[in-house]
Amino acid sequence: MDWQRAVVFSTLLAVSWCAEDLTFPPGFKFGAATAAFQVEGAWNVSDKGESKWDRFCHEFPHKIQDRSNGDVACDSYHQWKRDIEMAEELGLHFYRFSVSWTRLLPSGFANHISEDGTRYYNNLIDGLLEKGIEPFVTLYHWDLPQSLQDLGGWTNPLVADWFADYARVVFTLFGDRVKWWITINEPIVICDVVYNSGIMAPPIISPETGAYLCNKNVMMAHARAYRIYDEEFRPKYQGKVSVANHHIWFDPLTPADAELAELARQNAVGRYAHPIYSKTGGWPASIEKALEEVSLKRGYSKSSLPAFTQEEIEFVRGTYDFYAMNHYTSRLIRKAREGETFNFWPFADCIDLGAKVQKQEDWDVTSTFWFFIHPEGIRRQLAWLKQQYGDIEFIITENGFPTVEGIHDPIRIKYYKAYLKQVLLAIKEDGVYLTGYTAWSLMDNFEWSDGYATKFGLYQVDYNDPHRKRTPRDSARFYKNLIKTYTLDDGATQDEL
Ligand SMILES: *[C@@H]1O[C@H](CO)[C@@H](O)[C@H](O)[C@H]1NC(C)=O
């Protein structure tokens, strides 16, 4: 072959490779997500009980950027038909939402099931199914009943019993129609972020103890719910259950920091995933050792990370039907210098490992302080998870981008494209068995300590409108088109919405 023909040939190859590379595999599923506290509002209607987030916003308004709360939010409690309509407009295969524990069980316990709460979720589930959209349901997305918080919340080992009872009620009521379940959303936020930062509910600072008690209790609660589904509901309903972890990808600042970066991954991901997904179960060995050392050095009689019994290790191990990954951002990690102070939030500096994080110079920042753009991170995270836990089914259960205002959001489209390209590389080049992707979020909503200032929505929500009018952004058109064409190819036409 002469050089000219070789060039033409390789160009053709490159073009066909690119075209192929930008296409999602047949059967791949696209969805979008919300969470109860962030969208429902109606915090005190009917017999609904108070959640720890209701209490937190009312009692500590200064801890929310715009001093707002979830009292009305997107009013999805009343606007659920519009929510289904938006899911239908986008052509979503599934809609991921969460059940509000206190809407269903006002006291927090399973002694009384709210008829009003049951009706609300039945309407939402049935409405989605009528449109051919699968409900993908999270049992717990941070809104613990205040009654249970008053008893110690996630630091009390009994929380596993309370969660198990709640899970059984939800599976009993909705399991005939819901086939995709997440037990708990982002345990690292419930435990590490909460007890290290004070910026989330409850505002209790207990990094050396609370975070680790919570860590073990969340693992036990998840496993209880999984086992209940497995034994009592799977034979009838054949659904799938997992836990959705939050993943920040860590790269070493210099080659000398490689070992520390791996320890940080085991700390931030392994501490919540290894007990469930690894072959051996229990805590990652490197973390167990590091935390015991630091606890003894601090004068404790034993590790702050509570041990699992052998029976508990077996009980938690293997309690998954797929791997649910939430991912947004990355960090570079290095060893802390002498005298340096630590900033746990945005959850990444780790005083217990002597690790400091930073942004790589060329990573763009976003409108929210914890979020730097690093598309390659999502691919590396997936590859790492596959290498750690094996060739299991992965679903991205959250990924998205924040802006502050506007219907025209080219930067959000750019983010989705860049991240989704990396997702395709994970599937095609790294052989990750990834079957679904979930955009966060279907609509703007109450973004925790950012209040309503940070907007993740494919749809804009007008908070001055009593009906909380929802309007599609440009990114909604992009996503609709992607779902229709299965390709990120720019040439594909964009539909009206
Ligand atoms: C519900 O809460 C709102 C504040 O968000 C308050 O104005 C209203 O009176 C409360 N309703 C009931 C029935 O307590």
Side-chain angles (χ1 to χ4, degrees), residues 43-45 58 69 71-72:
W43 78 282
N44 59 357
V45 301
H58 294 147
N69 55 51
D71 289 5
V72 182

Side-chain angles (χ1 to χ4, degrees), residues 256-317:
D257 300 308
E259 202 177 317
L260 186 63
E262 184 57 22
L263 197 60
R265 291 171 202 138
Q266 293 297 351
N267 186 54
V269 176
R271 199 147 47 74
Y272 292 96
H274 194 276
I276 298 170
Y277 301 97
S278 70
K279 298 262 181 313
T280 50
W283 304 119
S286 58
I287 287 301
E288 206 165 30
K289 181 165 168 277
L291 293 179
E292 182 173 32
E293 275 170 21
V294 77
S295 302
L296 296 181
K297 213 154 75 189
R298 284 176 179 151
Y300 294 101
S301 63
K302 59 181 185 196
S303 179
S304 296
L305 186 67
F308 284 113
T309 64
Q310 194 54 41
E311 199 183 339
E312 287 170 338
I313 288 175
E314 299 303 326
F315 187 74
V316 176
R317 190 173 59 129

Side-chain angles (χ1 to χ4, degrees), residues 13 20 36 63 78 102 120 198 256 323 327 339 392 398 424 489:
L13 257 186
E20 187 180 306
K63 287 189 179 264
H78 296 107
T102 54
Y120 176 70
Y323 194 105
H327 174 87
I392 59 183
E398 282 184 29
L424 278 173
D489 193 341

Side-chain angles (χ1 to χ4, degrees), residues 89-239:
E89 281 170 6
L90 293 173
L92 299 184
H93 302 120
F94 63 90
Y95 175 43
R96 178 177 174 229
F97 62 91
S98 78
V99 173
S100 158
W101 190 332
T102 54
R103 193 177 301 290
L104 203 60
L105 301 181
S107 73
F109 299 100
N111 59 320
H112 163 68
I113 301 170
S114 166
E115 276 180 33
D116 184 68
T118 304
R119 189 181 322 116
Y120 176 70
Y121 295 110
N122 273 331
N123 282 339
L124 183 55
I125 290 165
D126 292 344
L128 287 165
L129 288 170
E130 266 171 37
K131 303 293 183 190
I133 301 160
E134 281 190 277
F136 196 122
V137 177
T138 306
L139 298 181
Y140 181 79
H141 201 121
W142 306 4
D143 45 356
L144 194 75
Q146 182 61 39
S147 59
L148 305 185
Q149 186 55 54
D150 291 341
L151 300 175
W154 286 107
T155 61
N156 185 339
L158 291 174
V159 74
D161 289 344
W162 307 330
F163 185 71
D165 288 349
Y166 165 58
R168 184 180 282 107
V169 169
V170 180
F171 294 147
T172 303
L173 292 175
F174 311 120
D176 58 336
R177 286 153 292 155
V178 177
K179 304 300 171 191
W180 293 93
W181 296 100
I182 296 293
T183 54
I184 297 168
N185 186 70
E186 298 187 350
I188 194 175
V189 176
I190 300 166
C191 300
D192 291 41
V193 176
V194 163
Y195 292 105
N196 276 279
S197 75
I199 71 158
M200 291 195 157
I204 297 169
I205 304 277
S206 177
E208 291 178 13
T209 309
Y212 297 122
L213 292 176
C214 174
N215 191 164
K216 182 180 173 190
N217 296 338
V218 166
M219 295 293 95
M220 295 307 296
H222 157 78
R224 288 283 296 280
Y226 181 92
R227 299 277 177 208
I228 285 170
Y229 189 85
D230 202 41
E231 284 153 29
E232 301 170 28
F233 298 91
R234 188 191 304 282
K236 283 183 286 199
Y237 300 142
Q238 282 102 35

Side-chain angles (χ1 to χ4, degrees), residues 234-252:
R234 188 191 304 282
K236 283 183 286 199
Y237 300 142
Q238 282 102 35
K240 291 192 181 188
V241 183
S242 195
V243 62
N245 277 318
H246 183 108
H247 301 73
I248 286 187
W249 175 248
F250 294 104
D251 269 327

